[in-house]
Amino acid sequence: MGSRNWKHLADTIEAARETRNLTQVALAEKAGVSESTIQNLESGKERTRVPASLYRVERALGWTPGSGERVLEGGEPEEQQEETAAPPSDLPLRIVHELQDGPLLDATVLDLGGAGSQARMIVVVKGAPDASPEQIRADLLAWAKTQKHLQNLPADDEPDDPGN
């Protein structure tokens, strides 16, 4: 076995955590470990053996099993393939494509209905695939502003006549 690069592991975990907009506390909660465990892993301190907590952290970061060891040996982590339900096949191709591209930032369902209507609008907010944490924050702020406007649109008693 080659020498383990604990500094590379520390930097890789920190970068992955920041890319996912997670604090050390949030990553610890997601992994089911203590905050000090995350702090220790991100310190780059040399160790004689791989802590069992590394496997929980790699899962929480969305890495495949063994990615932590690969990083320790100087490699890069392998991302888990997202196991998401396929979009319904009756959606327009443009929507199916958009749902597959970029991270999901938020989603909401808005009732459109007036009296007796069950109609709803589904809004899915996607980020750019290569968005920085700052860009994601800006996108979420823009969405919050837009969502407020959508929710406050006045409901007409009668729909517009499309023939006009």
Side-chain angles (χ1 to χ4, degrees):
M1 181 181 323
S3 68
R4 292 183 171 143
N5 187 339
W6 294 97
K7 177 73 172 125
H8 179 55
L9 177 67
D11 293 344
T12 304
I13 290 173
E14 183 177 7
R17 177 178 59 75
E18 289 176 352
T19 296
R20 289 159 179 77
N21 285 330
L22 295 172
T23 62
Q24 288 182 335
V25 172
L27 177 57
E29 287 174 1
K30 190 172 180 181
V33 300
S34 68
E35 180 184 1
S36 64
T37 296
I38 303 301
Q39 291 169 343
N40 288 335
L41 285 170
E42 289 187 6
S43 75
K45 184 183 99 183
E46 294 285 325
R47 301 164 186 266
T48 55
R49 63 181 182 79
V50 177
S53 58
L54 179 59
Y55 307 110
R56 296 175 125 192
V57 171
E58 70 185 11
R59 265 197 320 270
L61 289 172
W63 296 352
T64 59
S67 284
E69 292 270 3
R70 218 174 1 267
V71 171
L72 275 172
E73 300 301 322
E76 295 302 318
E78 184 179 320
E79 300 286 329
Q80 287 269 20
Q81 294 302 314
E82 285 188 40
E83 293 181 21
T84 57
S89 60
D90 58 346
L91 288 175
L93 286 178
R94 176 176 169 219
I95 300 300
V96 171
H97 173 74
E98 290 292 333
L99 288 173
Q100 295 170 343
D101 195 25
L104 174 66
L105 301 182
D106 195 12
T108 193
V109 178
L110 300 172
D111 289 322
L112 297 179
S117 175
Q118 299 289 317
R120 296 176 312 279
M121 174 173 42
I122 301 166
V123 180
V124 177
V125 183
K126 300 287 285 193
D130 57 351
S132 68
E134 295 78 24
Q135 182 60 51
I136 290 172
R137 274 192 289 282
D139 292 343
L140 285 170
L141 287 172
W143 162 237
K145 187 176 179 181
T146 302
Q147 185 178 26
K148 219 179 268 184
H149 288 296
L150 283 173
Q151 290 170 332
N152 291 324
L153 287 175
D156 291 337
D157 287 347
E158 298 192 18
D160 291 338
D161 182 354
N164 285 350

